[in-house]
Amino acid sequence: MDQITFLTQIIAPAFASGLVMTLALIAVAAPFGFLLGCAVAVGRAYGSAPVRFISRGFVIFCKGCPLLLLLFILYFGMPSVGIMFTPFVASVIGFICCNSAYNSEYIRGAIHSIKEGQMTAAQALGMSKWQAIRWIILPQALRKAFPGITNEFIYLVKYSSLAYMITLIELTGAAKMIATKYFEYNETFLCVGIVYLALVTVTTVAAHFIEKKYAIPAGQAACSAVA
């Protein structure tokens, strides 16, 4: 089989299917990882003692447990206690946990960078604590944490390659199957590397554009520091 035929008839269809699965993983895990990260960050910064304890324990576990090991626990370990996940669901849960733990640290750091006077001023205007967090503190924190959040999103694109270890056939899984079947390792993994490079490049450019658009202006940042 010549290289053109191999690329067009073998690699392209398999990679198309694998790419759809990779994008599906990212599309589900990224927003839920972001939302859970926000909740954990707010819980650690403003929650009651039990909430702070649970939130911190969650972050310590997810940051300390290798993602691959977490996937193994979810897919291979949970059936022993009567809980069974499909490869897709196990992958999504693992990615959400990992992504949210790191996002929460970026957001929590941004929350603590905002002067306490803003919370006091919001409550003086009649807002409740949670209204002040929702409308005053969190929007500013998210803008400050955005570079870290987008960086974690880029990592998520690459993390998705681990899903094939629990039998989910995404991009890397498709490449592994083709390489093993046809013994074309160099060509296959070079192609999948190019696809990942394209995904990461597009994500980086989009993130940079959004970051510039929503960055806190220098004057506003100075006012925030004084407040």
Side-chain angles (χ1 to χ4, degrees):
M1 183 183 299
D2 63 83
Q3 294 299 316
I4 299 298
T5 302
F6 180 68
L7 289 173
T8 57
Q9 297 186 11
I10 304 298
I11 287 185
F15 277 20
S17 177
L19 179 60
V20 169
M21 185 60 68
T22 293
L23 294 178
L25 283 171
I26 297 169
V28 177
F32 283 102
F34 169 73
L35 293 174
L36 182 57
C38 289
V40 172
V42 171
R44 291 192 67 184
Y46 296 106
S48 61
V51 171
R52 291 198 303 270
F53 177 79
I54 293 172
S55 299
R56 185 175 183 182
F58 172 81
V59 172
I60 290 174
F61 173 78
C62 292
K63 288 176 65 177
C65 180
L67 178 55
L68 183 58
L69 178 59
L70 180 59
L71 295 178
F72 283 167
I73 292 172
L74 290 168
Y75 186 66
F76 296 113
M78 295 306 288
S80 64
V81 295
I83 301 175
M84 299 186 67
F85 296 118
T86 64
F88 182 83
V89 172
S91 299
V92 166
I93 294 174
F95 295 153
I96 289 174
C97 290
C98 181
N99 186 255
S100 63
Y102 285 97
N103 279 339
S104 72
E105 292 291 80
Y106 296 129
I107 298 169
R108 183 174 66 92
I111 287 174
H112 287 312
S113 73
I114 297 172
K115 300 299 181 180
E116 293 183 5
Q118 297 203 30
M119 173 66 78
T120 304
Q123 291 180 313
L125 292 173
M127 289 186 175
S128 68
K129 176 181 178 181
W130 296 109
Q131 284 177 325
I133 293 170
R134 167 65 180 84
W135 298 108
I136 305 298
I137 305 299
L138 198 55
Q140 295 181 75
L142 291 178
R143 292 173 76 176
K144 290 186 175 185
F146 189 77
I149 293 172
T150 55
N151 190 56
E152 194 59 32
F153 181 81
I154 293 170
Y155 279 129
L156 179 61
V157 174
K158 296 186 285 186
Y159 291 157
S160 65
S161 63
L162 293 175
Y164 95 95
M165 295 295 291
I166 56 172
T167 73
L168 186 68
I169 306 304
E170 38 65 68
L171 265 174
T172 304
K176 181 67 165 56
M177 290 179 64
I178 292 173
T180 302
K181 182 176 181 179
Y182 294 96
F183 298 99
E184 296 284 357
Y185 291 93
N186 290 337
E187 295 84 349
T188 303
F189 289 118
L190 177 61
C191 289
V192 79
I194 292 172
V195 175
Y196 276 114
L197 177 61
L199 286 175
V200 170
T201 301
V202 170
T203 302
T204 302
V205 171
H208 181 67
F209 173 78
I210 298 172
E211 181 182 340
K212 287 181 64 178
K213 183 175 181 180
Y214 291 101
I216 299 177
Q220 184 177 340
C223 292
S224 176
V226 172

